[in-house]
Coordinates of all heavy atoms in Angstrom, one line a residue:
M163 N 8.0 5.9 -14.5 CA 7.0 4.9 -14.5 C 7.1 4.0 -15.8 O 7.5 4.5 -16.8 CB 5.6 5.6 -14.6 CG 5.3 6.4 -13.3 SD 5.2 5.4 -11.9 CE 5.0 6.7 -10.6
S164 N 6.8 2.8 -15.6 CA 6.9 1.9 -16.8 C 5.7 2.1 -17.7 O 4.7 2.6 -17.3 CB 7.0 0.4 -16.3 OG 5.7 0.0 -15.9
D165 N 5.8 1.5 -18.9 CA 4.7 1.7 -19.9 C 3.5 0.9 -19.5 O 2.4 1.1 -19.9 CB 5.2 1.2 -21.2 CG 6.3 2.1 -21.8 OD1 6.3 3.3 -21.4 OD2 7.0 1.7 -22.7
E166 N 3.7 -0.2 -18.6 CA 2.6 -1.0 -18.2 C 1.7 -0.4 -17.1 O 0.7 -1.0 -16.8 CB 3.1 -2.4 -17.8 CG 3.7 -3.2 -18.9 CD 5.2 -3.2 -18.9 OE1 5.8 -3.6 -17.9 OE2 5.8 -2.6 -19.8
A167 N 2.2 0.7 -16.5 CA 1.4 1.2 -15.4 C 0.1 1.7 -15.9 O -0.1 2.3 -16.9 CB 2.2 2.4 -14.8
C168 N -1.0 1.5 -15.0 CA -2.3 1.9 -15.3 C -2.5 3.4 -15.1 O -1.7 4.1 -14.6 CB -3.3 1.1 -14.5 SG -3.3 1.5 -12.8
A169 N -3.7 3.8 -15.5 CA -4.0 5.3 -15.3 C -4.0 5.7 -13.9 O -3.6 6.9 -13.6 CB -5.4 5.6 -15.9
H170 N -4.4 4.9 -12.9 CA -4.3 5.2 -11.5 C -2.9 5.5 -11.1 O -2.6 6.5 -10.4 CB -4.8 4.1 -10.6 CG -6.2 3.7 -10.9 ND1 -6.5 2.5 -11.6 CD2 -7.4 4.3 -10.7 CE1 -7.9 2.4 -11.7 NE2 -8.4 3.5 -11.1
I171 N -2.0 4.7 -11.5 CA -0.6 4.8 -11.1 C 0.0 6.0 -11.9 O 0.8 6.8 -11.3 CB 0.2 3.5 -11.4 CG1 -0.2 2.5 -10.4 CG2 1.7 3.8 -11.4 CD1 0.4 1.1 -10.6
E172 N -0.3 6.1 -13.1 CA 0.2 7.3 -13.9 C -0.2 8.6 -13.3 O 0.5 9.6 -13.5 CB -0.3 7.2 -15.4 CG 0.2 6.0 -16.2 CD 1.7 6.2 -16.6 OE1 2.3 7.2 -16.3 OE2 2.2 5.2 -17.2
S173 N -1.3 8.7 -12.6 CA -1.8 9.9 -12.1 C -1.1 10.3 -10.8 O -1.4 11.4 -10.3 CB -3.4 9.9 -11.9 OG -3.6 9.0 -10.8
I174 N -0.3 9.5 -10.3 CA 0.4 9.8 -9.0 C 1.7 10.5 -9.3 O 2.5 10.0 -10.0 CB 0.6 8.5 -8.2 CG1 -0.7 7.9 -7.7 CG2 1.5 8.8 -7.0 CD1 -0.6 6.5 -7.1
N175 N 1.8 11.7 -8.8 CA 3.0 12.5 -8.9 C 3.9 12.4 -7.7 O 5.1 12.2 -7.9 CB 2.7 13.9 -9.2 CG 1.9 14.1 -10.5 OD1 2.3 13.5 -11.5 ND2 0.9 14.9 -10.5
D176 N 3.3 12.5 -6.6 CA 4.1 12.4 -5.3 C 3.7 11.2 -4.6 O 2.5 11.1 -4.2 CB 3.8 13.6 -4.4 CG 4.5 14.9 -5.0 OD1 5.7 14.8 -5.4 OD2 3.8 15.9 -5.1
V177 N 4.6 10.3 -4.4 CA 4.2 9.0 -3.7 C 4.2 9.3 -2.2 O 5.1 9.8 -1.7 CB 5.2 7.9 -4.0 CG1 5.0 6.7 -3.2 CG2 5.2 7.6 -5.6
K178 N 3.0 8.9 -1.6 CA 2.9 9.2 -0.2 C 3.7 8.1 0.6 O 3.7 6.9 0.3 CB 1.4 9.0 0.2 CG 0.5 10.1 -0.3 CD -0.9 9.9 0.3 CE -1.8 11.0 -0.1 NZ -2.2 11.1 -1.5
Q179 N 4.5 8.6 1.5 CA 5.3 7.8 2.4 C 4.6 7.6 3.7 O 3.8 8.4 4.2 CB 6.7 8.5 2.6 CG 7.4 8.7 1.3 CD 7.8 7.4 0.6 OE1 8.1 6.4 1.2 NE2 7.7 7.4 -0.8
P180 N 4.9 6.5 4.4 CA 4.3 6.3 5.7 C 4.7 7.3 6.8 O 5.8 7.7 6.8 CB 4.8 4.9 6.1 CG 6.1 4.7 5.4 CD 5.9 5.5 4.1
E181 N 3.7 7.8 7.6 CA 4.0 8.7 8.7 C 4.6 7.9 9.8 O 5.5 8.4 10.5 CB 2.7 9.4 9.1 CG 2.2 10.4 8.2 CD 0.9 11.1 8.6 OE1 0.7 11.1 9.8 OE2 0.2 11.5 7.7
R182 N 4.1 6.7 10.0 CA 4.7 5.8 11.0 C 4.9 4.4 10.4 O 4.0 4.0 9.6 CB 3.7 5.6 12.2 CG 3.5 6.9 13.0 CD 2.2 6.6 13.8 NE 2.0 7.6 14.8 CZ 1.9 7.3 16.1 NH1 1.9 6.0 16.5 NH2 1.7 8.2 17.0
R183 N 5.9 3.8 10.8 CA 6.2 2.4 10.3 C 5.4 1.4 11.1 O 6.1 0.6 11.8 CB 7.7 2.1 10.1 CG 8.3 3.0 9.1 CD 9.6 2.4 8.5 NE 10.2 3.4 7.7 CZ 9.9 3.6 6.4 NH1 9.0 2.9 5.8 NH2 10.6 4.5 5.7
E184 N 4.1 1.4 11.1 CA 3.3 0.4 11.8 C 2.0 0.4 11.1 O 1.5 1.3 10.5 CB 3.1 0.8 13.2 CG 2.5 2.2 13.4 CD 2.5 2.6 14.9 OE1 3.4 2.2 15.6 OE2 1.6 3.3 15.3
C185 N 1.3 -0.8 11.2 CA 0.0 -1.0 10.6 C -1.0 -0.4 11.6 O -1.1 -0.9 12.7 CB -0.3 -2.5 10.4 SG -2.1 -2.7 9.9
E186 N -1.8 0.6 11.2 CA -2.6 1.3 12.2 C -3.8 0.4 12.6 O -4.3 0.6 13.8 CB -3.1 2.6 11.6 CG -3.9 2.5 10.3 CD -4.1 3.9 9.7 OE1 -3.1 4.6 9.4 OE2 -5.3 4.3 9.5
E187 N -4.2 -0.6 11.8 CA -5.2 -1.5 12.3 C -4.7 -2.6 13.2 O -5.3 -3.0 14.2 CB -5.9 -2.1 11.1 CG -6.7 -1.1 10.2 CD -7.8 -0.5 11.0 OE1 -8.5 -1.1 11.8 OE2 -8.1 0.7 10.7
C188 N -3.5 -3.1 12.9 CA -2.9 -4.1 13.8 C -2.6 -3.5 15.1 O -2.7 -4.2 16.2 CB -1.6 -4.7 13.1 SG -1.9 -5.8 11.8
V189 N -2.2 -2.3 15.2 CA -1.9 -1.7 16.5 C -3.1 -1.7 17.4 O -3.0 -1.9 18.6 CB -1.3 -0.2 16.2 CG1 -1.3 0.6 17.5 CG2 0.1 -0.3 15.7
K190 N -4.3 -1.4 16.7 CA -5.5 -1.4 17.5 C -5.9 -2.7 18.2 O -6.5 -2.8 19.2 CB -6.7 -1.0 16.6 CG -6.7 0.5 16.2 CD -7.9 0.8 15.3 CE -7.7 2.1 14.5 NZ -8.7 2.2 13.5
I191 N -5.5 -3.8 17.5 CA -6.0 -5.1 18.0 C -4.8 -5.9 18.5 O -4.9 -7.1 18.9 CB -6.7 -5.9 16.8 CG1 -5.7 -6.1 15.6 CG2 -8.0 -5.2 16.4 CD1 -6.3 -7.0 14.5
G192 N -3.6 -5.3 18.6 CA -2.5 -6.0 19.1 C -1.9 -7.1 18.3 O -1.3 -8.1 18.8
A193 N -2.1 -7.0 17.0 CA -1.7 -8.0 16.0 C -0.3 -7.7 15.5 O 0.2 -6.6 15.7 CB -2.6 -8.2 14.9
R194 N 0.3 -8.6 14.8 CA 1.7 -8.4 14.2 C 1.5 -8.4 12.7 O 0.6 -8.9 12.1 CB 2.6 -9.6 14.6 CG 2.9 -9.6 16.1 CD 3.3 -11.0 16.6 NE 4.6 -11.3 16.1 CZ 5.7 -11.1 16.8 NH1 5.7 -10.6 18.0 NH2 6.9 -11.4 16.3
W195 N 2.5 -7.8 12.0 CA 2.5 -7.7 10.6 C 3.9 -8.1 10.1 O 4.8 -8.2 10.8 CB 2.1 -6.3 10.1 CG 3.0 -5.2 10.7 CD1 4.2 -4.8 10.1 CD2 2.9 -4.5 11.9 NE1 4.8 -3.8 10.9 CE2 4.0 -3.6 12.0 CE3 1.9 -4.4 12.9 CZ2 4.1 -2.7 13.0 CZ3 2.0 -3.5 13.9 CH2 3.1 -2.7 14.0
V196 N 3.9 -8.3 8.7 CA 5.2 -8.7 8.1 C 5.8 -7.5 7.3 O 6.9 -7.0 7.6 CB 5.0 -9.9 7.1 CG1 6.3 -10.3 6.4 CG2 4.4 -11.1 7.9
H197 N 5.0 -7.0 6.4 CA 5.5 -5.8 5.6 C 4.4 -4.7 5.6 O 3.2 -5.1 5.9 CB 5.8 -6.2 4.2 CG 6.8 -7.2 4.0 ND1 8.1 -7.0 4.4 CD2 6.8 -8.4 3.5 CE1 8.9 -8.0 4.1 NE2 8.1 -8.9 3.6
L198 N 4.7 -3.5 5.3 CA 3.8 -2.4 5.3 C 3.6 -1.8 4.0 O 4.5 -1.7 3.2 CB 4.3 -1.3 6.3 CG 4.3 -1.8 7.8 CD1 5.0 -0.7 8.6 CD2 2.9 -2.0 8.3
R199 N 2.4 -1.3 3.7 CA 2.0 -0.6 2.5 C 1.3 0.7 2.9 O 0.5 0.7 3.9 CB 1.0 -1.5 1.7 CG 1.5 -3.0 1.5 CD 2.7 -3.1 0.6 NE 3.1 -4.4 0.4 CZ 4.4 -4.8 0.7 NH1 5.3 -4.0 1.1 NH2 4.7 -6.1 0.4
T200 N 1.4 1.7 2.0 CA 0.7 2.9 2.3 C -0.3 3.2 1.2 O 0.1 3.2 0.0 CB 1.7 4.1 2.4 OG1 2.6 3.8 3.5 CG2 1.0 5.4 2.6
C201 N -1.5 3.5 1.6 CA -2.6 3.8 0.6 C -2.3 5.1 0.0 O -2.1 6.1 0.7 CB -4.0 3.8 1.3 SG -5.3 4.4 0.2
Q202 N -2.4 5.2 -1.3 CA -2.0 6.5 -2.0 C -3.2 7.4 -2.1 O -3.1 8.5 -2.6 CB -1.5 6.2 -3.4 CG -0.1 5.4 -3.3 CD 0.9 6.2 -2.6 OE1 1.3 7.3 -3.0 NE2 1.4 5.7 -1.4
T203 N -4.4 7.0 -1.7 CA -5.6 7.8 -1.7 C -5.7 8.6 -0.3 O -5.9 9.8 -0.3 CB -6.8 7.0 -1.9 OG1 -6.7 6.3 -3.2 CG2 -8.1 7.9 -2.0
C204 N -5.5 7.8 0.8 CA -5.8 8.4 2.1 C -4.7 8.3 3.1 O -4.8 8.7 4.2 CB -7.1 7.7 2.7 SG -6.8 6.1 3.2
D205 N -3.5 7.8 2.6 CA -2.3 7.9 3.5 C -2.3 6.8 4.6 O -1.4 6.9 5.4 CB -2.2 9.3 4.1 CG -0.8 9.9 3.8 OD1 0.0 9.2 3.3 OD2 -0.7 11.1 4.1
A206 N -3.3 5.9 4.6 CA -3.3 4.9 5.6 C -2.1 3.9 5.4 O -1.9 3.5 4.3 CB -4.6 4.2 5.6
T207 N -1.4 3.6 6.5 CA -0.3 2.6 6.4 C -0.8 1.3 7.0 O -1.3 1.3 8.2 CB 1.0 3.1 7.0 OG1 1.4 4.2 6.3 CG2 2.0 2.0 7.0
L208 N -0.8 0.2 6.2 CA -1.5 -1.0 6.6 C -0.6 -2.2 6.2 O 0.4 -2.0 5.4 CB -2.8 -1.1 5.9 CG -3.8 0.0 6.3 CD1 -4.9 0.1 5.3 CD2 -4.4 -0.2 7.7
C209 N -1.0 -3.4 6.6 CA -0.1 -4.5 6.4 C -0.4 -5.3 5.1 O -1.5 -5.3 4.6 CB -0.1 -5.5 7.7 SG -1.8 -6.0 8.1
C210 N 0.6 -6.0 4.7 CA 0.6 -6.7 3.4 C -0.1 -8.0 3.4 O -0.5 -8.5 4.5 CB 2.1 -6.9 3.0 SG 2.9 -8.2 3.9
D211 N -0.1 -8.7 2.3 CA -0.8 -10.0 2.2 C 0.0 -11.2 2.8 O -0.6 -12.3 3.0 CB -1.1 -10.3 0.7 CG -2.3 -9.6 0.2 OD1 -2.9 -8.9 1.0 OD2 -2.6 -9.7 -1.0
S212 N 1.2 -10.9 3.2 CA 1.9 -12.0 4.0 C 1.6 -11.9 5.4 O 2.0 -12.7 6.2 CB 3.4 -11.8 3.7 OG 3.8 -11.9 2.4
S213 N 1.0 -10.8 5.8 CA 0.6 -10.6 7.2 C -0.7 -11.3 7.5 O -1.5 -11.5 6.7 CB 0.5 -9.1 7.5 OG 1.6 -8.4 7.1
P214 N -0.9 -11.7 8.8 CA -2.2 -12.5 9.1 C -3.4 -11.8 8.8 O -4.4 -12.3 8.4 CB -2.0 -12.8 10.6 CG -0.6 -12.6 10.9 CD 0.0 -11.6 9.9
N215 N -3.5 -10.5 9.0 CA -4.7 -9.7 8.8 C -4.9 -9.0 7.5 O -6.0 -8.5 7.2 CB -4.8 -8.7 10.0 CG -5.0 -9.4 11.3 OD1 -6.1 -10.0 11.5 ND2 -4.0 -9.3 12.2
R216 N -3.9 -8.9 6.7 CA -4.0 -8.4 5.3 C -4.8 -7.1 5.2 O -5.7 -6.9 4.4 CB -4.6 -9.4 4.4 CG -3.9 -10.7 4.3 CD -4.5 -11.7 3.4 NE -3.7 -12.9 3.3 CZ -3.9 -13.9 2.5 NH1 -4.8 -13.8 1.5 NH2 -3.1 -14.9 2.5
H217 N -4.4 -6.2 6.1 CA -5.3 -5.0 6.2 C -5.2 -4.1 5.0 O -6.2 -3.4 4.6 CB -4.8 -4.1 7.4 CG -5.4 -4.7 8.7 ND1 -4.5 -5.0 9.8 CD2 -6.6 -5.1 9.1 CE1 -5.3 -5.5 10.8 NE2 -6.5 -5.6 10.4
A218 N -4.1 -4.1 4.2 CA -4.0 -3.2 3.1 C -5.0 -3.7 2.0 O -5.7 -2.8 1.4 CB -2.6 -3.2 2.5
T219 N -5.1 -5.0 1.8 CA -6.0 -5.5 0.8 C -7.5 -5.3 1.2 O -8.3 -4.9 0.4 CB -5.7 -7.0 0.5 OG1 -4.4 -7.1 -0.1 CG2 -6.7 -7.6 -0.4
K220 N -7.7 -5.5 2.5 CA -9.1 -5.3 3.0 C -9.5 -3.9 2.8 O -10.6 -3.5 2.5 CB -9.2 -5.7 4.5 CG -9.2 -7.2 4.7 CD -9.3 -7.5 6.2 CE -9.2 -8.9 6.5 NZ -9.0 -9.2 7.9
H221 N -8.6 -3.0 3.1 CA -8.8 -1.5 3.0 C -9.1 -1.2 1.5 O -10.1 -0.5 1.2 CB -7.6 -0.8 3.5 CG -7.6 0.7 3.3 ND1 -8.3 1.6 4.1 CD2 -7.1 1.5 2.3 CE1 -8.2 2.8 3.7 NE2 -7.5 2.8 2.6
A222 N -8.3 -1.7 0.6 CA -8.5 -1.4 -0.8 C -9.9 -1.8 -1.3 O -10.6 -1.1 -2.0 CB -7.4 -2.0 -1.7
H223 N -10.3 -3.0 -0.8 CA -11.6 -3.5 -1.2 C -12.8 -2.8 -0.6 O -13.8 -2.5 -1.2 CB -11.7 -5.0 -1.0 CG -10.8 -5.8 -1.9 ND1 -10.7 -7.2 -1.7 CD2 -10.1 -5.5 -2.9 CE1 -9.8 -7.6 -2.7 NE2 -9.4 -6.6 -3.4
A224 N -12.6 -2.4 0.7 CA -13.7 -1.8 1.4 C -13.9 -0.3 1.0 O -15.0 0.2 0.9 CB -13.4 -1.8 2.9
T225 N -12.8 0.3 0.6 CA -12.8 1.8 0.3 C -12.8 2.1 -1.2 O -13.0 3.2 -1.6 CB -11.6 2.5 0.9 OG1 -10.4 1.9 0.4 CG2 -11.6 2.4 2.5
E226 N -12.4 1.1 -2.0 CA -12.1 1.3 -3.4 C -11.0 2.3 -3.7 O -10.9 2.9 -4.7 CB -13.4 1.6 -4.2 CG -14.4 0.5 -4.1 CD -15.6 0.8 -5.0 OE1 -15.7 1.9 -5.6 OE2 -16.5 -0.1 -5.0
H227 N -10.1 2.4 -2.7 CA -8.8 3.1 -2.9 C -7.9 2.2 -3.7 O -7.5 1.1 -3.2 CB -8.2 3.5 -1.6 CG -9.0 4.5 -0.8 ND1 -8.7 4.8 0.5 CD2 -10.0 5.3 -1.2 CE1 -9.6 5.7 0.9 NE2 -10.4 6.0 -0.1
P228 N -7.5 2.6 -5.0 CA -6.9 1.6 -5.9 C -5.4 1.3 -5.6 O -5.0 0.2 -5.8 CB -7.1 2.2 -7.3 CG -7.2 3.6 -7.0 CD -7.9 3.8 -5.7
V229 N -4.7 2.3 -5.2 CA -3.2 2.2 -5.3 C -2.5 2.2 -3.9 O -2.8 3.1 -3.1 CB -2.6 3.3 -6.2 CG1 -1.1 3.1 -6.3 CG2 -3.2 3.2 -7.6
I230 N -1.6 1.2 -3.7 CA -0.8 1.2 -2.6 C 0.7 1.4 -3.0 O 1.1 1.0 -4.1 CB -0.9 0.0 -1.7 CG1 -0.7 -1.3 -2.6 CG2 -2.2 -0.1 -1.0 CD1 -0.4 -2.6 -1.8
A231 N 1.5 1.9 -2.1 CA 3.0 1.9 -2.3 C 3.6 1.0 -1.2 O 3.0 0.9 -0.1 CB 3.5 3.3 -2.2
S232 N 4.7 0.4 -1.5 CA 5.4 -0.3 -0.4 C 5.9 0.8 0.6 O 6.3 1.9 0.2 CB 6.6 -1.0 -1.0 OG 7.4 -1.5 0.1
A233 N 5.7 0.5 1.9 CA 6.2 1.4 2.9 C 7.5 0.8 3.5 O 7.9 1.2 4.6 CB 5.2 1.5 4.0
E234 N 8.1 -0.2 2.8 CA 9.4 -0.7 3.3 C 10.5 0.1 2.9 O 10.6 0.5 1.7 CB 9.5 -2.2 2.8 CG 8.4 -3.1 3.3 CD 8.5 -3.3 4.8 OE1 9.5 -3.5 5.3 OE2 7.4 -3.1 5.4
P235 N 11.5 0.3 3.8 CA 12.7 1.1 3.4 C 13.4 0.5 2.2 O 13.6 -0.8 2.2 CB 13.6 1.0 4.7 CG 12.7 0.7 5.8 CD 11.6 -0.1 5.2
G236 N 13.7 1.3 1.2 CA 14.5 0.8 0.1 C 13.6 0.2 -1.0 O 14.1 -0.1 -2.1
E237 N 12.3 0.0 -0.8 CA 11.4 -0.5 -1.8 C 10.7 0.7 -2.4 O 10.1 1.5 -1.7 CB 10.4 -1.5 -1.2 CG 11.0 -2.8 -0.8 CD 10.0 -3.8 -0.5 OE1 8.8 -3.6 -0.7 OE2 10.4 -4.9 0.1
R238 N 10.7 0.8 -3.7 CA 10.1 1.9 -4.4 C 9.2 1.4 -5.5 O 9.6 1.3 -6.7 CB 11.1 2.9 -5.0 CG 12.0 3.6 -3.9 CD 13.2 4.3 -4.5 NE 12.7 5.3 -5.5 CZ 12.4 6.6 -5.2 NH1 12.4 6.9 -3.9 NH2 12.1 7.4 -6.1
W239 N 8.0 1.0 -5.1 CA 7.0 0.5 -6.1 C 5.6 0.8 -5.7 O 5.3 1.0 -4.5 CB 7.2 -1.0 -6.4 CG 7.2 -1.9 -5.2 CD1 8.3 -2.5 -4.6 CD2 6.0 -2.4 -4.5 NE1 7.8 -3.3 -3.5 CE2 6.5 -3.3 -3.5 CE3 4.6 -2.2 -4.7 CZ2 5.6 -3.9 -2.6 CZ3 3.8 -2.9 -3.8 CH2 4.3 -3.7 -2.8
L240 N 4.7 0.8 -6.7 CA 3.3 1.0 -6.5 C 2.5 -0.2 -7.1 O 3.0 -0.8 -8.1 CB 2.9 2.3 -7.3 CG 3.6 3.6 -6.9 CD1 3.4 4.6 -8.0 CD2 2.9 4.1 -5.6
Y241 N 1.4 -0.4 -6.5 CA 0.5 -1.5 -7.0 C -0.9 -1.0 -7.1 O -1.4 -0.4 -6.1 CB 0.7 -2.7 -6.1 CG -0.3 -3.9 -6.5 CD1 0.0 -4.6 -7.7 CD2 -1.4 -4.1 -5.9 CE1 -0.8 -5.6 -8.1 CE2 -2.3 -5.1 -6.3 CZ -2.0 -5.9 -7.4 OH -2.8 -6.9 -7.8
C242 N -1.6 -1.3 -8.2 CA -3.0 -1.0 -8.3 C -3.8 -2.2 -8.3 O -3.6 -3.2 -9.0 CB -3.2 -0.3 -9.7 SG -5.0 0.1 -10.0
Y243 N -4.8 -2.3 -7.3 CA -5.6 -3.5 -7.1 C -6.6 -3.7 -8.3 O -6.6 -4.8 -8.9 CB -6.4 -3.4 -5.8 CG -5.6 -3.7 -4.6 CD1 -5.0 -2.6 -3.9 CD2 -5.4 -5.0 -4.2 CE1 -4.3 -2.9 -2.7 CE2 -4.6 -5.2 -3.1 CZ -4.1 -4.2 -2.3 OH -3.3 -4.5 -1.2
P244 N -7.4 -2.7 -8.7 CA -8.3 -3.1 -9.8 C -7.7 -3.5 -11.1 O -8.2 -4.3 -11.8 CB -9.2 -1.8 -9.9 CG -8.5 -0.7 -9.2 CD -7.6 -1.4 -8.1
D245 N -6.5 -2.9 -11.4 CA -5.9 -3.2 -12.7 C -4.8 -4.3 -12.5 O -4.2 -4.7 -13.5 CB -5.2 -2.0 -13.3 CG -6.3 -1.0 -13.6 OD1 -7.2 -1.4 -14.4 OD2 -6.3 0.2 -13.1
D246 N -4.5 -4.7 -11.3 CA -3.4 -5.7 -11.0 C -2.1 -5.2 -11.7 O -1.4 -5.9 -12.4 CB -3.7 -7.1 -11.5 CG -2.7 -8.1 -11.0 OD1 -2.1 -7.9 -10.0 OD2 -2.6 -9.2 -11.7
S247 N -1.8 -3.9 -11.6 CA -0.7 -3.2 -12.2 C 0.4 -2.8 -11.2 O 0.1 -2.4 -10.1 CB -1.3 -1.9 -12.9 OG -0.3 -1.2 -13.6
F248 N 1.6 -3.0 -11.6 CA 2.7 -2.8 -10.7 C 3.7 -1.9 -11.4 O 3.9 -2.1 -12.6 CB 3.4 -4.2 -10.5 CG 4.6 -4.2 -9.6 CD1 4.5 -4.3 -8.2 CD2 5.8 -4.1 -10.2 CE1 5.7 -4.3 -7.5 CE2 7.0 -4.1 -9.4 CZ 6.9 -4.2 -8.1
A249 N 4.3 -1.0 -10.7 CA 5.3 -0.1 -11.3 C 6.3 0.3 -10.3 O 6.0 0.6 -9.1 CB 4.6 1.2 -11.8
E250 N 7.6 0.3 -10.7 CA 8.6 0.9 -9.8 C 8.7 2.4 -10.1 O 8.4 2.8 -11.2 CB 9.9 0.2 -10.1 CG 9.8 -1.3 -9.6 CD 11.2 -2.0 -9.7 OE1 11.5 -2.5 -10.8 OE2 11.8 -2.1 -8.6
Y251 N 9.2 3.1 -9.2 CA 9.4 4.6 -9.4 C 10.7 5.0 -9.0 O 11.4 4.3 -8.3 CB 8.3 5.4 -8.7 CG 8.2 5.3 -7.2 CD1 8.9 6.2 -6.5 CD2 7.5 4.3 -6.6 CE1 8.9 6.2 -5.1 CE2 7.5 4.2 -5.2 CZ 8.2 5.2 -4.5 OH 8.2 5.1 -3.1
Ligands
ZN19 ZN1 -5.2 1.2 -11.9
ZN20 ZN1 -2.5 -4.9 9.8
ZN21 ZN1 -7.1 4.5 1.5

């Protein structure tokens, strides 16, 4: 973890990986997504801010779950919404 990572990110030991590579909210409404993110609090895999529905950000604000990880193959980073903190792992 980098020195700039916030306490939320520092507290994560095992990064949760997506169970399925799909946005669970987009699947319900038949929408499309661009990239996927996995919530590190509840394991929900949702779509990124480049996607029309931005479900990961909506989820973070609605639930106050602070940290997401990229669910894209080959990407290894975490992002904390309240602290606007980013860390590769
Ligand atoms: Zn944080
Ligand atoms: Zn979505
Ligand atoms: Zn969550």
Side-chain angles (χ1 to χ4, degrees):
M163 294 297 172
S164 77
D165 292 340
E166 292 100 64
C168 69
H170 302 107
I171 288 175
E172 293 286 356
S173 72
I174 292 169
N175 295 315
D176 288 312
V177 176
K178 291 184 171 72
Q179 300 296 326
E181 287 179 26
R182 296 160 165 238
R183 293 202 188 277
E184 57 187 33
C185 171
E186 55 192 59
E187 294 298 326
C188 283
V189 166
K190 286 181 198 166
I191 59 175
R194 295 157 70 94
W195 58 86
V196 179
H197 299 298
L198 295 171
R199 311 292 180 233
T200 299
C201 175
Q202 295 300 296
T203 304
C204 70
D205 236 350
T207 295
L208 298 162
C209 56
C210 72
D211 282 357
S212 301
S213 308
N215 292 292
R216 302 183 178 188
H217 284 126
T219 295
K220 283 182 188 163
H221 174 82
H223 290 175
T225 60
E226 299 187 354
H227 293 167
V229 180
I230 54 165
S232 175
E234 296 299 311
E237 290 188 9
R238 294 172 59 86
W239 54 260
L240 298 161
Y241 177 74
C242 175
Y243 284 97
D245 294 304
D246 192 25
S247 178
F248 177 88
E250 293 186 275
Y251 64 91

